[in-house]
């Protein structure tokens, strides 16, 4: 019998790819997606993605979406308190693992492990590797049919002209050498709209470009 798993879901390509990988596992079964979001704006915080698009992803993945509304700005103690509520709910429902799409940042992995310590929920990292592995990972995603839109750019690391671009072979070829191909250092964030983890694509239209908190965002709007 497979171990029931929650999957942390930011709307981006890495969590989507983690879902794809986990669904090929003989050990784990993803039973729900978990998303934290800015309650005031009704958007995923760093990605700037509307919650209705996140729900559309969950529908296309044929999975329930567990949501954690957070204030903005959000003190860490509030985030941790709300996360613990989800962890207790998961344990009560027989879920025994929580998966994350982190790639190689050890401090983030350690923090997640600390948050789940003693909870009866095992943290798992199906994409975990090294910085040297991300070029291959990025190309593997694209080759398998995953497509995503860059919704947030850190202009201190990547030209703002990349916001709104598709995560595809052309983009990977044009990234500056210092930028991680998966954006793991916060260079960019994405919304995954197409891939083998979904039953159908999620069509979106590019909207307004804005600047907030030193980041450049592009709004994505669901096609009718």
């Amino acid at each position: 019998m497979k171990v029931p798993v929650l999957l942390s879901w930011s709307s981006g390509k890495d969590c989507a790819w983690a879902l794809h990988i986990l669904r090929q596992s003989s050990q784990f079964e993803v039973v729900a997606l978990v998303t934290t979001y800015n309650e005031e704006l009704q958007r995923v915080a760093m990605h700037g993605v509307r919650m209705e698009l996140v729900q559309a992803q969950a529908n296309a993945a044929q999975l329930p979406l567990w949501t954690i509304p957070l204030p903005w700005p959000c003190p860490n103690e509030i985030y941790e308190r709300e996360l613990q509520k989800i962890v207790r709910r998961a344990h009560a429902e027989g879920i025994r693992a929580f998966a994350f799409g982190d790639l190689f940042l050890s401090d983030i992995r350690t923090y997640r492990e600390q948050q789940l310590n003693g909870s009866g929920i095992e943290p798992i990292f199906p994409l975990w590797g090294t910085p040297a592995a991300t070029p291959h990972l990025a190309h593997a995603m694209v080759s398998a049919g995953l497509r995503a839109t860059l919704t947030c750019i850190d202009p201190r690391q990547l030209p703002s002209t990349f916001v709104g671009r598709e995560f595809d072979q052309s983009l990977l070829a044009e990234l500056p050498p210092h930028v991680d191909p998966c954006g793991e250092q916060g260079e960019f964030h994405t919304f995954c709209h197409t891939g083998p983890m979904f039953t159908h694509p999620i069509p979106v239209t590019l909207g307004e470009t804005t600047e907030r908190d030193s980041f450049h965002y592009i709004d994505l709007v669901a096609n009718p």
Side-chain angles (χ1 to χ4, degrees):
M1 182 176 178
K2 293 186 177 183
V3 176
V5 179
L6 287 181
L7 174 59
S8 180
W9 190 264
S10 66
S11 80
K13 61 179 175 36
D14 297 336
C15 61
W17 191 247
L19 174 59
H20 177 58
I21 294 300
L22 286 167
R23 281 182 161 166
Q24 299 176 64
S25 166
S26 61
Q27 183 178 1
F28 299 107
E29 179 185 4
V30 178
V31 296
L33 309 177
V34 179
T35 299
T36 61
Y37 68 97
N38 181 323
E39 187 172 23
E40 180 181 352
L41 297 179
Q42 293 290 303
R43 293 174 184 264
V44 178
M46 279 309 302
H47 294 241
V49 172
R50 299 169 183 245
M51 282 304 293
E52 56 260 38
L53 290 178
V54 180
Q55 184 60 63
Q57 289 179 315
N59 294 345
Q62 298 184 311
L63 288 169
L65 180 65
W66 294 13
T67 59
I68 306 177
L70 298 172
W72 184 261
C74 181
N76 203 48
E77 57 266 25
I78 293 180
Y79 165 75
E80 291 179 355
R81 182 190 69 202
E82 296 304 310
L83 177 64
Q84 289 306 313
K85 291 180 182 178
I86 286 288
V87 170
R88 289 193 294 270
R89 172 187 171 186
H91 192 269
E93 295 188 16
I95 295 169
R96 293 296 178 263
F98 204 150
F100 302 92
D102 302 305
L103 304 183
F104 61 75
L105 297 177
S106 58
D107 55 339
I108 293 179
R109 176 170 179 154
T110 298
Y111 177 73
R112 299 199 195 285
E113 290 171 340
Q114 290 171 344
Q115 292 303 301
L116 294 176
N117 186 36
S119 68
I121 303 287
E122 175 193 1
I124 58 174
F125 302 86
L127 306 185
W128 192 257
T130 67
T134 56
H136 174 77
L137 177 63
H139 286 284
M141 291 180 185
V142 172
S143 295
L146 182 147
R147 294 294 181 272
T149 302
L150 274 63
T151 59
C152 174
I153 292 294
D154 181 350
R156 296 161 294 190
Q157 303 189 70
L158 187 66
S160 58
T161 52
F162 278 81
V163 73
R165 294 235 356 226
E166 288 297 290
F167 184 78
D168 55 19
Q169 297 289 3
S170 295
L171 179 128
L172 293 175
E174 295 174 34
L175 288 175
H178 66 275
V179 171
D180 181 80
C182 290
E184 183 70 350
Q185 302 282 7
E187 300 97 330
F188 60 88
H189 300 280
T190 63
F191 171 78
C192 182
H193 55 75
T194 303
M197 67 295 301
F198 296 141
T199 58
H200 57 269
I202 303 158
V204 292
T205 299
L206 299 181
E208 180 183 6
T209 302
T210 57
E211 183 177 349
R212 295 193 308 275
D213 303 320
S214 300
F215 291 89
H216 291 183
Y217 293 87
I218 193 163
D219 191 22
L220 297 184
V221 182
N223 286 353

